[in-house]
Amino acid sequence: MRRPMVAGNWKMNGTRASVAELIESLRLQTFPAGVEVAVFPSCLHVSQVLGGIDGERIAVGSQDCAVQNGFGALTGEVSADQFTEVGCEWVLVGHSERRLVLGETDEVVSRKFLAAQEGGLKPVLCLGETLDEREAGKTLEVVGRQLAQVLDDHGVSAFKSAVIAYEPVWAIGTGLTATPEQAQEVHAAIREQLSRQDRQIAEGVRLLYGGSVKADNAAELFAMTDIDGGLVGGASLKADEFGAICRAAGN
Ligand code: PEP
């Protein structure tokens, strides 16, 4: 039985004051005991969030980490070791905004996946196709290629301690959501790809859906067999909405 997870990606949002408000409002939310909840604030606000929330209810992750682990000369980057040392448990790796805006390749994403695990963080590996790729009928090929890079580099065992998020690029921040059937088709293909290497590991890996998840569409997405929760962007900045999504994952 896979434990559902809801992860909130706060992206490049927040001031000290607004983050303090969000922490306060999250305190008032009821989260189902069976659901793992995590938030991913900006790097600047990670310590503030860690200091303000109850770590038993909500875990904290970073939105990215450096390609190499440890400490040393890599100006502007933050390593997995550094995030772990302050109390983070999770890290997003390969979010489409980083792939597309910052040019992160499959190889770079794979290096970050490894660096994350070496530094004690659990990666949430983000995969997803653009609208052009979907319209060209290449969704499964693109997502399969993104996953294969990490699988080939680090082996299926690396997924014992990782989560995968399928996030169609055309659904992120656009208000468009994949239908539950569209999402399920890709999730099933991801699990099948893992299963070809190790069935037991494949059955245990949590697959989150991301792309305009809201309180009013979460339940139907989470009802699908291979959707084990959500990676939530915009709606995670509103505590009531985020709480409702977490509760939907618990049903
Ligand atoms: C995301 O950025 O991971 C995301 C899913 O964003 P949104 O929910 O706003 O589409």
Side-chain angles (χ1 to χ4, degrees), residues 178-194:
T179 63
E181 292 73 23
Q182 283 174 322
Q184 168 60 28
E185 182 195 16
V186 182
H187 283 227
I190 292 171
R191 203 177 301 287
E192 169 59 27
Q193 190 171 348
L194 294 166

Side-chain angles (χ1 to χ4, degrees), residues 120-198:
L121 296 176
K122 290 170 276 190
V124 178
L125 173 66
C126 304
L127 315 170
E129 82 288 2
T130 63
L131 186 57
D132 283 352
E133 289 164 340
R134 175 160 280 268
E135 286 176 347
K138 293 190 170 155
T139 299
L140 298 184
E141 182 187 321
V142 170
V143 171
R145 188 205 69 224
Q146 292 170 340
L147 176 59
Q149 181 78 46
V150 179
L151 257 179
D152 293 350
D153 288 351
H154 313 304
V156 70
S157 298
F159 287 88
K160 281 185 196 162
S161 177
V163 163
I164 296 174
Y166 166 56
E167 299 203 299
V169 176
W170 48 272
I172 295 182
T174 58
L176 295 174
T177 315
T179 63
E181 292 73 23
Q182 283 174 322
Q184 168 60 28
E185 182 195 16
V186 182
H187 283 227
I190 292 171
R191 203 177 301 287
E192 169 59 27
Q193 190 171 348
L194 294 166
S195 188
R196 286 199 288 273
Q197 303 214 2
D198 190 307

Side-chain angles (χ1 to χ4, degrees), residues 34-196:
V35 176
E36 183 161 10
V37 179
V39 294
F40 295 75
S42 87
C43 182
L44 265 186
H45 297 118
V46 156
S47 291
Q48 185 186 354
V49 175
L50 279 161
I53 52 144
D54 172 2
E56 299 283 306
R57 298 175 70 229
I58 307 179
V60 178
S62 75
Q63 297 174 13
D64 183 40
C65 68
V67 286
Q68 67 196 47
N69 193 34
F71 302 86
L74 197 51
T75 304
E77 292 296 279
V78 183
S79 72
D81 265 339
Q82 289 177 300
F83 282 117
T84 300
E85 200 256 338
V86 297
C88 284
E89 288 177 49
W90 292 93
V91 59
L92 301 181
V93 174
H95 192 281
S96 63
E97 286 151 12
R98 300 197 62 84
R99 290 181 190 262
L100 297 170
V101 181
L102 299 168
E104 280 191 10
T105 60
D106 292 343
E107 289 79 7
V108 166
V109 171
S110 177
R111 286 177 67 194
K112 288 188 173 187
F113 185 100
L114 179 66
Q117 290 191 327
E118 284 179 347
L121 296 176
K122 290 170 276 190
V124 178
L125 173 66
C126 304
L127 315 170
E129 82 288 2
T130 63
L131 186 57
D132 283 352
E133 289 164 340
R134 175 160 280 268
E135 286 176 347
K138 293 190 170 155
T139 299
L140 298 184
E141 182 187 321
V142 170
V143 171
R145 188 205 69 224
Q146 292 170 340
L147 176 59
Q149 181 78 46
V150 179
L151 257 179
D152 293 350
D153 288 351
H154 313 304
V156 70
S157 298
F159 287 88
K160 281 185 196 162
S161 177
V163 163
I164 296 174
Y166 166 56
E167 299 203 299
V169 176
W170 48 272
I172 295 182
T174 58
L176 295 174
T177 315
T179 63
E181 292 73 23
Q182 283 174 322
Q184 168 60 28
E185 182 195 16
V186 182
H187 283 227
I190 292 171
R191 203 177 301 287
E192 169 59 27
Q193 190 171 348
L194 294 166
S195 188
R196 286 199 288 273

